[in-house]
């Protein structure tokens, strides 16, 4: 069964940092893009960042300069380093893995809460 396992969420004070991880099971092959999205209750899931197989990246304007996405292809894992966190970054964060075939998979989500 295809599986994405996320970790690293939690409660952090404004200005703090967190690092999210998302490991894809071995059944997911030929991974092209790996990405992070986030969602708050009552709103749509929003794009945060994406990294291609070759390491090219793109970010939402709201996180540029604060978040860094990276990946370890040998481990089928994508990371999101989040610095200078703000209360408005509070959300459930989801990873998304897209194969070259076009098939895609979502993680189960991990809660990030930024509050003093």
């Amino acid at each position: 069964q295809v599986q994405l396992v996320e970790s690293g969420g939690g409660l952090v004070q404004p200005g703090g940092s967190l690092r999210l991880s998302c490991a894809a099971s071995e059944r997911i092959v030929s991974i092209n893009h790996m990405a992070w999205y986030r969602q708050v209750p009552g709103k749509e899931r929003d794009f945060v960042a994406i990294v291609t197989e070759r390491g090219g990246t793109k970010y939402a304007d709201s996180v540029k300069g604060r978040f860094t996405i990276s990946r370890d292809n040998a481990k089928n894992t994508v990371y999101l380093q989040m610095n200078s966190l703000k209360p408005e970054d509070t959300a459930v964060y989801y990873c998304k893995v897209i194969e070259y075939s076009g098939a895609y998979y979502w993680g189960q989500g991990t809660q990030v809460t930024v509050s003093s």
Side-chain angles (χ1 to χ4, degrees):
Q1 183 177 355
V2 172
Q3 188 175 19
L4 298 177
V5 178
E6 300 180 22
S7 61
L11 173 64
V12 64
Q13 292 186 343
S17 298
L18 282 175
R19 188 190 192 212
L20 306 182
S21 299
C22 174
S25 66
E26 294 180 351
R27 289 197 60 181
I28 302 178
V29 297
S30 299
I31 295 176
N32 187 3
H33 302 314
M34 304 181 85
W36 288 95
Y37 287 71
R38 65 188 181 186
Q39 188 172 24
V40 298
K43 294 190 176 182
E44 295 184 352
R45 193 169 296 183
D46 291 330
F47 167 78
V48 175
I50 192 168
V51 58
T52 69
E53 184 180 16
R54 295 186 178 184
T57 59
K58 184 177 180 180
Y59 297 90
D61 288 342
S62 59
V63 307
K64 280 182 182 177
R66 301 188 297 122
F67 291 10
T68 302
I69 189 171
S70 61
R71 62 190 283 174
D72 184 334
N73 291 332
K75 296 181 179 180
N76 271 8
T77 300
V78 61
Y79 305 96
L80 186 67
Q81 177 66 45
M82 304 185 293
N83 299 328
S84 302
L85 282 161
K86 305 175 181 179
E88 51 263 43
D89 294 317
T90 295
V92 177
Y93 284 71
Y94 297 89
C95 66
K96 182 180 183 181
V97 168
I98 306 106
E99 294 181 320
Y100 280 99
S101 66
Y104 60 91
Y105 311 93
W106 289 100
Q108 82 281 4
T110 185
Q111 177 69 46
V112 171
T113 302
V114 184
S115 175
S116 55

